[in-house]
Amino acid sequence: MIELQMSPEVRALLGPEGLARAAEVSLVDGTCAYCRTRLQGTVNMVVRTNGTFVHVVYVHAACGPSEVVPLPDDQQPPVPTDGYDMTMTAAVLDHDGINLPVLVAETVAKAYAFDGSSGPGPMPELTSLVTSSLLGDGFTLISRITQEAPPQIPEWIGVLLLGHGPAGEDGLLVLDPEGGNFYTGTIELPDSWLPAVAHYGWAVLYVGDIGLADLRGDDKDVVEALRAAAQAGRLVGARIAIGFPSPNTAA
């Protein structure tokens, strides 16, 4: 079980909205920002900021305190291809009467832009930098997940590495238009997911603050969590091409 600790200076900087947004994430699949091993036990929240954005990360209590870390004025926030610990969930979900293969990405570390001109005290409304970046790359803000799939972005691609993990796990690599590594890691694939991808040649990639860590394997709960994220304006999506070796060519 993970116990999250926040120092008074972190609480004062984030304010009620920032604390609520930071608490949206599950740390079950997170890794420590300092030692890069899986989070467990007592975990401290660390906020990195230069007055225009905050990057919220998590560290083991033994690795460092909960604190606000000042950054240089010219420091740029991390983009989705770096600086984010990410989880990925696969499911097959109904879209307007058609079952489609879906990938759901969630960042563990969070980054938000805010207007720092208001002076000291809790920051004003936060804007997710991941959402802003993906909307700039052609993703669509999702309001309802039961409607037809969002448009496809040709420059994004997912590559499945079936059975290539240390213990035979399936892996997934998702690349952005510049070849940046949006996601690399293992993934659990439902039985019906691969046939659906083979049929369509793509999957719907949703990204947002959803909270699926405790819901995997239950598609109804996944749908409800996605619906809640969409209604809150915290979900973007796109169709991306998926490639994987056929049974005849797999090693």
Side-chain angles (χ1 to χ4, degrees):
M1 181 178 178
I2 295 175
E3 180 183 356
L4 181 62
Q5 301 286 340
M6 290 171 278
S7 68
E9 64 174 336
V10 164
R11 291 180 180 274
L13 175 67
L14 291 181
E17 183 196 357
L19 291 173
R21 298 288 292 276
E24 291 170 348
V25 64
S26 170
L27 301 180
V28 172
D29 294 314
T31 56
C32 174
Y34 293 163
C35 73
R36 304 309 303 172
T37 61
R38 184 175 291 276
L39 292 172
Q40 56 185 344
T42 301
V43 171
N44 288 330
M45 180 186 292
V46 175
V47 179
R48 302 164 175 167
T49 182
N50 69 352
T52 61
F53 76 90
V54 292
H55 186 204
V56 181
V57 298
Y58 307 89
V59 303
H60 294 116
C63 293
S66 174
E67 59 182 342
V68 176
V69 178
L71 297 175
D73 290 342
D74 60 353
Q75 178 79 36
Q76 297 298 309
V79 296
T81 52
D82 66 44
Y84 292 95
D85 197 7
M86 191 173 294
T87 64
M88 189 73 74
T89 302
V92 176
L93 303 179
D94 178 88
H95 288 69
D96 201 21
I98 302 175
N99 288 327
L100 298 179
V102 167
L103 295 168
V104 184
E106 300 180 77
T107 58
V108 176
K110 304 293 182 183
Y112 304 102
F114 71 99
D115 181 359
S117 63
S118 59
M123 62 191 63
E125 184 176 356
L126 304 175
T127 301
S128 169
L129 289 168
V130 171
T131 296
S132 297
S133 176
L134 293 176
L135 288 172
D137 277 341
F139 278 64
T140 300
L141 186 64
I142 304 299
S143 59
R144 292 178 57 244
I145 67 155
T146 54
Q147 61 189 14
E148 63 184 46
Q152 185 165 353
I153 305 178
E155 295 82 4
W156 282 71
I157 186 170
V159 180
L160 286 168
L161 305 172
L162 301 178
H164 284 203
E169 309 99 320
D170 295 327
L172 174 68
L173 172 67
V174 178
L175 301 175
D176 71 8
E178 287 73 42
N181 189 345
F182 179 77
Y183 176 80
T184 299
T186 60
I187 187 168
E188 295 182 14
L189 301 176
D191 292 340
S192 56
W193 196 89
L194 280 176
V197 165
H199 175 74
Y200 291 106
W202 48 258
V204 180
L205 173 60
Y206 290 121
V207 185
D209 296 329
I210 302 116
L212 299 186
D214 300 321
L215 304 179
R216 293 172 189 172
D218 190 330
D219 286 352
K220 291 183 179 179
D221 286 343
V222 171
V223 169
E224 289 302 317
L226 286 170
R227 181 178 292 116
Q231 291 175 344
R234 301 195 308 265
L235 191 68
V236 297
R239 283 182 284 153
I240 66 169
I242 301 290
F244 60 97
S246 68
N248 294 331
T249 60

